[in-house]
Amino acid sequence: MSETPEYDVTVVGGGPAGLTAALYTTRLSHDTAVINRGGGRAAMMMETHNVIGITEDVSGNEFLQTAVEQLEGYGTDYFRDTVTSISATDDGPRRYLVEAGNVSVYSDYLVLATGFTDKRPDPPLPRTGRGLHYCLHCDAYMFVDEPVYVMGHSNSAAYVAMIMLNFTDRVDLLLRGEEPTWSAETDELLRAHPVTIIEDEIKSKFQDEDDPSWLGGFVFEDGTRREYKGGFPMYGSEYNTDLATSLGVELTDDGTISVDDHGKTNVEGVYAVGDVTPGHNQIPVALGEGAKAGISIHYSARKFPMSLDEIEAAGGEIDLSEAPAISEKLREAAAKHDAGEAAADD
């Protein structure tokens, strides 16, 4: 039986936040593993919006694959697998044991980047990214002067419908046969805005005549046919927090993982970043959260500078053989990376 590998840091999840955390911890000299089940909201993107330096023709999968290749070039170990359990180790070589289907690892630090799942409305629906959109801040720009829908019956749905008036004067709020659950105050505010409320359920959808890959609109049960460029379903989210709660990590009232400004949770050595934490669900925000968590872990995990007490316990001086405090694997990866850059400059 092969020996269970040990890491300074293990990232669970492979979205922008988790991969950025791994990028920082790896480049800051800490042996890092990423265990990613695949999928996720970023992988669903047909185009990448609002990421400076990344053109919109880059898909989510292309964006993530490039990130993984970068990480592996720096020496991160990347595993495509699903983590099934994480447990604290009282007598193990590292603080936590992370177990997945085909790999298990020991780790001193954990970064939970497990995200959430959007609750999808019932069909008929257009394709995600071609008429069905989950990110208002990313995609509202696409609907300037275009007919747009918002699906839902909650306060959030009502407010998103009103927000879309900043981009277009043709906004429908589709109840799909449900009774509104928004508050009386929201109802008064909504009806004071030029938003059309459609109560009937959707019977069928039709495609855009000029580009059949895009939604053209919906036909409702009363026979009404209404054209839309696209829109936003607002039915809430399911946060992937089972692993976090199994470790005793605290959640907020809305079900996200409670963290400080650097991604620290209430459990020692456990961080959380990205969509599973409070805040805007945006790639640039996720990148920043991942970077801050990675730097915070480095401050905690780095060997130098040693305290005077640590130096005294080590015999009063630091043996030069202890530096650099980086694994041989990461040293070799750094040497290859530097050699590759030098060759590119020639």
Side-chain angles (χ1 to χ4, degrees):
M1 182 179 295
S2 61
E3 187 174 345
T4 301
E6 301 174 28
Y7 294 92
D8 299 319
V9 183
T10 297
V11 178
V12 181
L19 295 179
T20 303
L23 173 69
Y24 271 78
T25 56
T26 301
R27 283 178 53 90
L28 287 170
S29 78
H30 306 291
D31 288 312
T32 302
V34 174
I35 306 178
N36 176 31
R37 71 178 184 182
R41 298 178 91 235
M44 293 169 56
M45 299 185 309
M46 302 189 73
E47 300 170 341
T48 300
H49 302 293
N50 292 0
V51 184
I52 200 74
I54 303 295
T55 56
E56 294 191 350
D57 60 329
V58 176
S59 71
N61 278 323
E62 291 170 330
F63 177 83
L64 296 173
Q65 184 57 41
T66 299
V68 171
E69 291 169 0
Q70 289 175 313
L71 287 174
E72 292 180 325
Y74 291 125
T76 308
D77 284 342
Y78 180 85
F79 302 98
R80 185 66 175 266
D81 210 335
T82 301
V83 174
T84 55
S85 69
I86 304 175
S87 56
T89 58
D90 295 330
D91 55 357
R94 299 279 180 169
R95 190 179 289 153
Y96 296 102
L97 173 62
V98 183
E99 297 180 281
N102 296 301
V103 63
S104 295
V105 304
Y106 287 110
S107 188
D108 276 336
Y109 293 86
L110 300 173
V111 180
L112 302 177
T114 48
F116 69 80
T117 302
D118 293 291
K119 293 181 181 178
R120 290 176 61 87
D122 293 332
L125 294 172
R127 293 170 57 199
T128 299
R130 288 292 183 268
L132 186 69
H133 304 265
Y134 287 95
C135 180
L136 178 69
H137 297 105
C138 301
D139 293 342
Y141 180 86
M142 301 166 61
F143 300 114
V144 171
D145 290 330
E146 298 285 354
V148 65
Y149 68 82
V150 176
M151 286 185 190
H153 46 80
S154 64
N155 273 315
S156 295
Y159 271 90
V160 167
M162 290 183 282
I163 288 169
M164 285 307 301
L165 290 169
N166 291 292
F167 303 92
T168 178
D169 60 359
R170 291 173 288 176
V171 182
D172 287 358
L173 179 53
L174 311 184
L175 294 179
R176 302 196 62 176
E178 299 285 344
E179 290 294 324
T181 58
W182 53 68
S183 67
E185 180 181 356
T186 298
D187 186 77
E188 183 178 3
L189 184 63
L190 175 66
R191 295 181 189 279
H193 284 75
V195 172
T196 301
I197 300 174
I198 308 295
E199 297 181 353
D200 287 311
E201 173 61 295
I202 296 170
K203 181 179 180 181
S204 62
K205 63 180 176 67
F206 57 91
Q207 303 305 115
D208 183 82
E209 292 182 359
D210 296 327
D211 184 355
S213 69
W214 275 87
L215 174 71
F218 295 120
V219 178
F220 295 86
E221 286 188 341
D222 67 353
T224 302
R225 177 186 173 97
R226 298 181 74 87
E227 295 184 354
Y228 301 108
K229 173 73 178 291
F232 301 89
M234 299 298 300
Y235 292 94
S237 307
E238 295 179 350
Y239 293 97
N240 302 317
T241 57
D242 288 349
L243 293 171
T245 55
S246 73
L247 293 168
V249 169
E250 293 179 354
L251 304 183
T252 66
D253 290 340
D254 66 0
T256 56
I257 296 178
S258 179
V259 293
D260 70 5
D261 288 341
H262 303 285
K264 289 183 181 179
T265 72
N266 62 300
V267 176
E268 183 69 24
V270 180
Y271 289 68
V273 295
D275 289 351
V276 76
T277 64
H280 295 294
N281 302 314
Q282 296 283 288
I283 289 179
V285 174
L287 300 179
E289 290 181 2
K292 289 199 294 183
I295 293 170
S296 178
I297 289 171
H298 174 61
Y299 285 166
S300 298
R302 66 189 182 189
K303 185 169 185 177
F304 298 110
M306 296 176 68
S307 68
L308 291 175
D309 288 341
E310 289 172 327
I311 294 172
E312 183 178 350
E317 63 181 20
I318 298 173
D319 192 316
L320 190 59
S321 65
E322 297 184 51
I326 183 174
S327 69
E328 190 60 34
K329 176 189 173 183
L330 292 186
R331 290 180 73 183
E332 292 175 358
K336 290 180 181 178
H337 189 269
D338 289 343
E341 286 192 338
D345 291 337
D346 290 342

